[in-house]
Amino acid sequence: MSIEYDPLEFKKIVPYTRDELVAALHEHLSDYRAEHCLRVEQQAMQIAAKVDADVTKAGLAGLLHDYAKERSNAEFIAMIQKKQLDPDLLNYGNAIWHGVVGRYFIEAELDIHDEAILQAVARHTVGDPAMTTLDKIIFVADFVEPGRNFPGIDEARQALAVSLDAAVAYELQHTILYLVEKQAKIFPRTFETYNVLGIHKED
Ligand SMILES: [Fe+2]
Ligand SMILES: [Fe+2]
């Protein structure tokens, strides 16, 4: 059963209807990715309901998390410069930018300024040692939404059945291993996040 927004809560945050946001997603994303966003929206709302978090913010952050994913590198670089973001970002690419930098496209184009939502979007690509519950919900919802199918997905869903933190830890371990196997560069904050939220803790 799908979870719906509380219309009053929604209106407090977004100057558009949900249909208009979905239309904006389709304007900027392939159908494949827009549909992923709809699944992450619903997955995030389900997790939020379970852990007693803000269902409206979880849904909105889930819906919009990949809003900027299909922008050109030139657009991201221009935004990094315009917002005077850390120049080290220029050493990375779309996989990092679409969250960390993507939040500014949401603010500018969709007139959404809720910091908790924007932060959850920003952190979904790299994590953060101080992730809030909402940040964790989007991080995990993106990873386990029903359209996902990769080696490890069953373990990720099992971890989520245990707790949100267990799912965050599994995702960090899985992501770092995957990037090392690909011999890809790893954003330092992802290691910092792993060191706090991804390690086995002795009781
Ligand atoms: Fe993403
Ligand atoms: Fe995503």
Side-chain angles (χ1 to χ4, degrees):
M1 214 180 64
S2 67
I3 303 180
E4 307 273 329
Y5 288 104
D6 176 326
L8 288 176
E9 291 299 313
F10 190 94
K11 254 189 137 162
K12 276 189 215 164
I13 303 170
V14 189
Y16 301 103
T17 64
R18 180 176 174 280
D19 284 350
E20 287 169 329
L21 289 184
V22 172
L25 281 180
H26 278 284
E27 192 184 321
H28 293 285
L29 297 174
S30 57
D31 287 351
Y32 160 82
R33 186 157 283 111
E35 282 156 22
H36 160 68
C37 290
L38 295 177
R39 291 193 297 270
V40 175
E41 174 190 40
Q42 190 54 225
Q43 179 76 60
M45 291 172 98
Q46 307 266 1
I47 300 173
K50 199 171 130 197
V51 303
D52 234 353
D54 189 317
V55 170
T56 304
K57 292 191 185 194
L60 280 164
L63 182 67
L64 299 172
H65 80 288
D66 276 345
Y67 175 71
K69 174 88 180 174
E70 295 178 12
R71 304 303 168 105
S72 67
N73 288 351
E75 282 176 275
F76 281 117
I77 291 166
M79 187 63 93
I80 290 167
Q81 287 162 348
K82 183 176 171 205
K83 296 287 175 185
Q84 300 183 315
L85 304 180
D86 182 353
D88 186 45
L89 278 169
L90 297 171
N91 295 316
Y92 295 85
N94 179 288
I96 303 295
W97 294 341
H98 80 271
V100 177
V101 187
R103 61 160 284 167
Y104 297 102
F105 291 85
I106 295 171
E107 259 191 299
E109 297 174 13
L110 301 177
D111 210 11
I112 292 172
H113 305 282
D114 185 281
E115 184 53 35
I117 291 173
L118 297 170
Q119 178 179 282
V121 170
R123 289 178 169 176
H124 93 269
T125 54
V126 292
D128 192 282
M131 277 202 282
T132 63
T133 300
L134 183 63
D135 299 338
K136 290 174 182 174
I137 289 170
I138 302 311
F139 190 69
V140 169
D142 186 26
F143 198 61
V144 304
E145 61 93 343
R148 292 292 197 195
N149 186 13
F150 54 82
I153 185 65
D154 292 341
E155 290 84 347
R157 291 182 180 137
Q158 283 158 15
L160 179 58
V162 174
S163 71
L164 181 57
D165 283 337
V168 169
Y170 181 81
E171 182 175 344
L172 287 164
Q173 294 153 8
H174 185 279
T175 301
I176 285 178
L177 281 169
Y178 171 77
L179 291 169
V180 171
E181 273 166 14
K182 280 207 315 181
Q183 301 182 9
K185 188 152 50 171
I186 300 179
F187 198 65
R189 203 177 307 140
T190 304
F191 278 127
E192 291 163 20
T193 308
Y194 167 78
N195 284 341
V196 175
L197 300 175
I199 55 167
H200 177 70
K201 294 189 185 70
E202 299 295 337
D203 299 319

